[in-house]
């Protein structure tokens, strides 16, 4: 009878401790989903904190970064309606208004009447906003890349990206 060594397991993390506790008190539970989503939530929180620090150097929060980045990704002339921004960022109009007010006061964007609909507004990045978002996105990507390459090689990162895409697609279906 030959014994095979199991594949090496990554060192334990706080989610492993939670799963072990559940196994003791409720061994009937299948906790696989908890293992995955618990790690996704913790990863999002940990990286969110790092990203907040990266963007703070530029005087913006993650939420404000999201607004500026959405305008930047729209391409020239870097203009969207508040409604388009709200839909893309999944924000209420009230939440969006607060962000736009702060960013406009900082000179990073401007609101102007929509030339095609006088009842509507357009939000446009200013030159200052364009310069800031280009620097901030580079800084944020550096933080993300550092975290990723410290833990995974290129092949692992590619597999994880594919798996997460499948999981996200599956969870976003009605």
């Amino acid at each position: 009878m030959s014994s095979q060594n199991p594949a090496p397991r990554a060192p334990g993390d706080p989610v492993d401790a939670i799963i072990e506790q559940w196994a003791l008190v409720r061994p009937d539970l299948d906790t696989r989903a908890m293992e995955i989503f618990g790690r996704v939530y913790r990863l999002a929180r940990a990286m969110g904190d790092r990203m907040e620090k990266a963007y703070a150097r530029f005087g913006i929060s993650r939420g404000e970064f999201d607004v500026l980045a959405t305008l930047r990704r729209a391409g020239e002339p870097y203009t969207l309606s508040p409604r388009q921004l709200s839909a893309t960022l999944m924000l209420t109009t009230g939440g969006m208004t607060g962000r736009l007010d702060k960013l406009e006061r900082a000179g990073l964007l401007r609101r102007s009447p929509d030339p095609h609909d006088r009842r509507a507004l357009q939000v446009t990045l200013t030159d200052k906003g364009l310069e800031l978002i280009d620097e901030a996105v580079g800084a944020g990507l550096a933080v993300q890349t550092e975290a990723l390459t410290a833990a995974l090689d290129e092949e692992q990162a590619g597999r994880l990206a594919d798996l997460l895409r499948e999981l996200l697609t599956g969870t976003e279906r009605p």
Side-chain angles (χ1 to χ4, degrees):
M1 182 161 132
S2 70
S3 67
Q4 292 182 342
N5 292 333
R9 187 178 162 140
D13 65 14
V15 175
D16 285 329
I18 292 167
I19 298 305
E20 289 170 12
Q21 289 170 332
W22 277 117
L24 290 173
V25 298
R26 288 288 311 271
D28 59 306
L29 293 177
D30 177 359
T31 56
R32 175 62 59 170
M34 187 183 294
E35 288 182 65
I36 293 166
F37 289 107
R39 287 184 177 99
V40 168
Y41 296 144
R42 286 171 177 266
L43 179 60
R45 187 176 68 222
M47 287 307 298
D49 292 346
R50 288 185 189 183
M51 301 308 293
E52 194 71 50
K53 287 178 187 169
Y55 301 144
R57 296 190 336 236
F58 300 95
I60 58 174
S61 67
R62 280 175 45 208
E64 293 154 0
F65 169 88
D66 290 342
V67 172
L68 297 173
T70 300
L71 289 166
R72 178 64 169 105
R73 290 191 321 264
E76 288 192 58
Y78 314 116
T79 300
L80 294 170
S81 71
R83 181 176 304 231
Q84 289 170 307
L85 284 166
S86 292
T88 299
L89 299 174
M90 298 182 291
L91 279 176
T92 64
T93 54
M96 180 57 65
T97 298
R99 287 183 190 179
L100 294 178
D101 287 345
K102 183 174 179 199
L103 292 167
E104 188 171 39
R105 281 192 305 272
L108 301 174
L109 58 77
R110 72 177 169 279
R111 287 181 271 199
S112 57
D114 184 330
H116 307 293
D117 181 353
R118 60 188 179 146
R119 298 167 298 163
L121 290 175
Q122 291 181 326
V123 179
T124 305
L125 274 179
T126 62
D127 290 342
K128 180 180 175 182
L130 180 61
E131 184 178 319
L132 183 137
I133 192 58
D134 280 348
E135 289 181 36
V137 75
L141 274 171
V143 168
Q144 292 172 340
T145 300
E146 180 183 323
L148 185 64
T149 58
L152 303 175
D153 65 30
E154 200 170 316
E155 181 188 336
Q156 291 170 318
R159 283 196 330 257
L160 180 58
D162 291 341
L163 290 169
L164 288 172
R165 182 182 308 104
E166 288 179 37
L167 182 60
L168 181 60
T169 300
T171 59
E172 289 183 332
R173 276 187 230 137

